[in-house]
């Protein structure tokens, strides 16, 4: 049996945090370290849940202005997390990853509201989704999961439910006769 081809989900991390309505509610108007870290962790968890088994996912954060950023990749829940290397923008990393994936004929979706990235990857034939579109998609994803997890009442399985109705009627008649 042939395995299903994996798709690649590329997420422009900081762009989604700033433009996605789901994450703006977390950070509010102030970007303190605590709220920003909480929003970043929420985004990573959301991508892990959204990607599931259908997508290979990479979340790219911009580390261009951090002299210590090496571009190393960490994996969280099967999702690769990276900060672009010092001196290189996340935009360029995302564009390169999208181009390389397309060259390998991997179906790719880039999540960003950055018009330049959207135009560039669209030129490669890559699908794109806005940060807010991704926020709404996640809301629907979680709602579907919530509805799927509602407790189901197990059907009571008795001997009477598994035997032939005619036989059951005879047994009931016999029981009533013995009373």
């Amino acid at each position: 049996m042939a395995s299903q081809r994996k798709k690649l989900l590329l997420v422009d991390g900081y762009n989604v945090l700033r433009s996605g309505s789901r994450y703006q509610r977390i950070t509010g108007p102030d970007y303190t370290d605590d709220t920003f870290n909480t929003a970043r962790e929420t985004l990573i968890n959301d991508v892990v849940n959204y990607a599931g088994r259908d997508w290979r996912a990479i979340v790219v954060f911009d580390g261009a202005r951090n002299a210590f950023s090496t571009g190393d990749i960490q994996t969280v829940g099967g999702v690769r997390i990276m900060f672009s290397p010092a001196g290189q923008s996340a935009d360029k990393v995302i564009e390169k990853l999208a181009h390389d994936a397309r060259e390998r004929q991997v179906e790719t979706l880039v999540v960003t509201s950055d018009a330049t990235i959207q135009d560039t990857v669209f030129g490669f034939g890559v699908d794109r989704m806005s940060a807010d579109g991704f926020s709404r998609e996640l809301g629907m994803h979680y709602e579907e999961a919530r509805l799927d997890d509602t407790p189901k009442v197990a059907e009571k399985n008795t001997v009477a439910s598994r035997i032939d109705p005619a036989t059951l009627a005879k047994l009931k008649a016999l029981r009533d006769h013995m009373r």
Side-chain angles (χ1 to χ4, degrees), residues 103-151:
E103 289 291 310
R104 294 188 322 272
Q105 298 181 343
V106 174
E107 184 179 342
T108 304
L109 173 65
V110 173
V111 177
T112 186
S113 287
D114 183 304
T116 303
I117 296 175
Q118 285 190 350
D119 290 344
T120 301
V121 300
F122 184 67
F124 302 151
V126 170
D127 292 327
R128 66 251 191 268
M129 180 185 295
S130 72
D132 205 46
F134 186 66
S135 291
R136 286 192 305 275
E137 184 83 15
L138 280 166
M140 289 186 296
H141 175 76
Y142 283 127
E143 182 63 19
E144 288 173 11
R146 186 187 67 75
L147 294 175
D148 287 347
D149 288 343
T150 56

Side-chain angles (χ1 to χ4, degrees), residues 54-111:
D54 297 331
W55 298 87
R56 286 188 350 244
I58 303 172
V59 180
V60 182
F61 293 102
D62 200 323
R65 293 186 179 158
N66 181 342
F68 300 106
S69 185
T70 61
D72 290 341
I73 296 175
Q74 295 179 331
T75 302
V76 175
V79 171
R80 297 183 331 189
I81 312 299
M82 73 176 294
F83 286 83
S84 64
Q88 187 175 21
S89 71
D91 299 5
K92 293 300 176 196
V93 171
I94 291 167
E95 290 169 4
K96 180 173 180 2
L97 290 169
H99 178 268
D100 292 350
R102 205 56 198 147
E103 289 291 310
R104 294 188 322 272
Q105 298 181 343
V106 174
E107 184 179 342
T108 304
L109 173 65
V110 173
V111 177

Side-chain angles (χ1 to χ4, degrees), residues 28-62:
D30 299 321
Y31 281 98
T32 64
D33 286 343
D34 288 343
T35 59
F36 205 66
N37 287 335
T38 299
R40 188 171 30 219
E41 289 172 11
T42 301
L43 172 62
I44 291 168
N45 287 330
D46 285 347
V47 173
V48 168
N49 288 321
Y50 183 80
R53 294 179 182 208
D54 297 331
W55 298 87
R56 286 188 350 244
I58 303 172
V59 180
V60 182
F61 293 102
D62 200 323

